[in-house]
Amino acid sequence: MKIDVDAFYMPFPERPIAQDLKLAESEMWSWLDKFGLCPSRQATQHLQRTRPEVITALYIPAADESTLPYLSQWMAWFFVIDDQFDHSGPSGRNGPRCAETIRSILSVIEHEPAVSSPVELNSLPRAHRALVDLWGRLPSHLEPILKPGLRQAN
């Protein structure tokens, strides 16, 4: 059976996408590479299909040139973490590993750990290092929104 749809009605006005999408995309992928968050070609392709930078640019069309790349990195991090907990992801299949990953994430969000040396930082799991980086670069204008929101979510 074929269904034809003449027009898709959206009850909200169309909004423009954030202007710095290319910059956000470039900085997001550089950041992902820096922390090794897409360790395989398959993981990279999966995240490319997700387009976290586009989602961020659509959600926050007024984001400026420094905020959009930063928030795109957060969005990518959330997708990477979500994939870890899927039934096919490494933490999704292993209860103790899942619990350790969650403890690791909460330790950053709840306690804002200070990493005393690059050696100490490098000993942490990739996703943990990336979260420490994101949390440590949190822009002051986003702090009143993100910190309470993330802490409340757990």
Side-chain angles (χ1 to χ4, degrees):
M1 172 191 290
K2 182 179 176 187
I3 298 175
D4 289 320
V5 178
D6 293 329
F8 181 75
Y9 173 71
M10 178 62 70
F12 307 104
E14 185 175 336
R15 296 180 357 186
I17 193 167
Q19 296 299 306
D20 297 303
L21 182 59
K22 287 291 184 194
L23 174 67
E25 180 181 23
S26 172
E27 289 189 19
M28 180 194 74
W29 283 106
S30 293
W31 180 82
L32 287 162
D33 290 343
K34 175 182 175 181
F35 288 96
L37 292 179
C38 291
S40 69
R41 185 169 183 247
Q42 181 182 8
T44 299
Q45 290 173 336
H46 180 69
L47 195 59
Q48 285 172 332
R49 287 189 302 271
T50 306
R51 307 279 319 264
E53 74 285 357
V54 173
I55 293 169
T56 306
L58 288 168
Y59 282 172
I60 311 164
D64 63 33
E65 67 182 22
S66 64
T67 304
L68 185 62
Y70 176 78
L71 291 176
S72 295
Q73 292 165 8
W74 266 107
M75 184 69 75
W77 184 85
F78 284 125
F79 278 115
V80 167
I81 290 299
D82 178 69
D83 289 345
Q84 295 296 308
F85 289 103
D86 285 346
H87 68 281
S88 61
S91 293
R93 295 185 308 260
N94 183 320
R97 183 174 180 172
C98 178
E100 180 54 37
T101 302
I102 290 171
R103 276 194 295 277
S104 175
I105 290 168
L106 292 177
S107 73
V108 175
I109 292 171
E110 292 175 348
H111 307 293
E112 300 184 42
V115 177
S116 60
S117 72
V119 172
E120 182 183 356
L121 183 62
N122 286 335
S123 69
L124 298 173
R126 289 185 292 243
H128 189 129
R129 285 195 318 266
L131 180 57
V132 168
D133 175 71
L134 286 170
W135 202 253
R137 293 186 296 118
L138 184 62
S140 60
H141 70 284
L142 295 176
E143 196 168 314
I145 300 163
L146 288 181
K147 280 190 176 182
L150 289 169
R151 286 179 174 151
Q152 183 179 4
N154 72 50

